[in-house]
Amino acid sequence: MQTDPSPRREIGVFDSGVGGFTVLHELREQLPTARLRYLADTAYAPYGNRSPDEIRARSMAISEHLIAQGAELIIIACNTATAHAIEALRARWPTLPFVGTEPGIKPAVAATRNGRIGLLATPATAASARLRALIERHANGREVVVQGCPGIVDHIEAGDLDSAELRSLVARHCEPLRAAGVDTALLGCTHYPLIEPLWQAALGPDVKLLRIETAVARRAVDLWTPASDSPALHIETSGDPAALRTWIERVLGWREPDVRSWPAAL
Ligand code: DGL
């Protein structure tokens, strides 16, 4: 592993791939002077189909790298990694703050009028004990319909945000939420806001969609003491840097992003 000879204070951000850019965008809005490093673990995406052990091992290796580069705060811009790894990360680095990304059950409970909430997430998040506990703690008697959504992240990683195939997959995953008559739905994966219009179209205009990135960035603001450093953004990937560069230019509209390679193997 390559280590910067003189690491500087940074905020490290990671996701299995491009989903965490939805969180990164908010972080840049709310902490415009921070030095940020974003790691996309593209070679191992999607995490949602992986075992808890694999997700934990990847999260550990990535955090070790981010810390070696100077991270003094780590944002887990991934619901799946938060569900399966945040406790292990905090146990291993007890003095380093980790901010997780988790579906906002409390805001959904406040928003619902009919008491029925939908939650769209990756299969691994949907199956996690941490999500079950979160719902038990905060649902307050409301019904929460949890739907694991295999396949969605693969489309988004490939740059497909609008194909007929993706639309029908989205519609299929939304069917149980429609059948339950939810009036509020949580996007429980950081990739999902990138196709928000598709979820809205499948669920209908009366269903309120809730996202979490703004709240995650607000938590980072609480924990971060801004320095006089000049802002910086380093983007790294365990996959193909050229492919990620193209994705960023095409989907996010950033020009000539600097994307470096980070060796994937554990
Ligand atoms: N974006 C991630 C999440 O919030 C992971 C998606 C995946 O890799 O399956 O869960």
Side-chain angles (χ1 to χ4, degrees):
M1 189 192 319
Q2 217 185 343
T3 306
D4 196 315
S6 58
R8 302 180 58 181
R9 282 181 89 234
E10 292 184 348
I11 301 177
V13 184
F14 76 92
D15 177 49
S16 62
V18 296
F21 282 120
T22 57
V23 177
L24 184 72
H25 174 79
E26 284 297 318
L27 285 167
R28 293 178 88 194
E29 293 282 309
Q30 295 193 38
L31 288 167
T33 62
R35 299 177 65 82
L36 297 158
R37 184 176 300 269
Y38 183 91
L39 196 133
D41 197 15
T42 321
Y44 286 77
Y47 281 1
N49 301 343
R50 294 193 175 275
S51 71
D53 281 350
E54 285 177 303
I55 296 164
R56 257 190 306 277
R58 293 310 300 164
S59 301
M60 286 283 183
I62 292 165
S63 297
E64 205 168 291
H65 169 66
L66 293 173
I67 292 164
Q69 301 306 311
E72 293 185 4
L73 167 64
I74 293 184
I75 314 294
I76 310 172
C78 175
N79 291 261
T80 312
T82 303
H84 291 289
I86 195 166
E87 281 167 30
L89 294 171
R90 286 179 170 155
R92 168 129 176 229
W93 290 284
T95 59
L96 190 90
F98 286 89
V99 175
T101 303
E102 294 186 287
I105 307 289
K106 274 205 270 186
V109 165
T112 182
R113 294 170 310 278
N114 70 7
R116 293 195 286 273
I117 298 163
L119 198 168
L120 300 153
T122 68
T125 300
S128 69
R130 194 174 165 95
L131 179 65
R132 254 196 321 279
L134 192 73
I135 293 170
E136 258 165 44
R137 217 165 40 248
H138 298 301
N140 209 10
R142 310 303 197 282
E143 182 188 354
V144 182
V145 180
V146 179
Q147 176 68 24
C149 304
I152 301 285
V153 166
D154 307 75
H155 282 268
I156 297 172
E157 284 292 320
D160 168 18
L161 307 186
D162 197 28
S163 68
E165 198 190 326
L166 177 58
R167 281 179 182 273
S168 81
L169 190 58
V170 164
R172 231 175 21 252
H173 290 319
C174 287
E175 202 38 60
L177 277 64
R178 286 173 63 90
V182 307
D183 70 354
T184 305
L186 287 159
L187 299 181
C189 165
T190 53
H191 283 71
Y192 295 175
L194 292 163
I195 56 161
E196 185 165 345
L198 274 60
W199 298 114
Q200 193 74 68
L203 290 168
D206 296 335
V207 173
K208 188 169 176 49
L209 291 185
L210 298 181
R211 323 167 38 150
I212 196 70
E213 312 86 81
T214 310
V216 173
R218 227 180 284 127
R219 181 76 192 121
V221 171
D222 291 344
L223 294 170
W224 188 247
T225 316
S228 54
D229 264 347
S230 48
L233 173 61
H234 300 283
I235 302 173
E236 297 174 326
T237 176
S238 57
D240 175 9
L244 182 55
R245 208 171 293 133
T246 305
W247 189 99
I248 293 171
E249 285 178 335
R250 206 168 68 70
V251 176
L252 303 179
W254 300 357
R255 290 182 49 199
E256 296 175 17
D258 182 18
V259 182
R260 307 276 169 95
S261 170
W262 176 66
L266 285 173

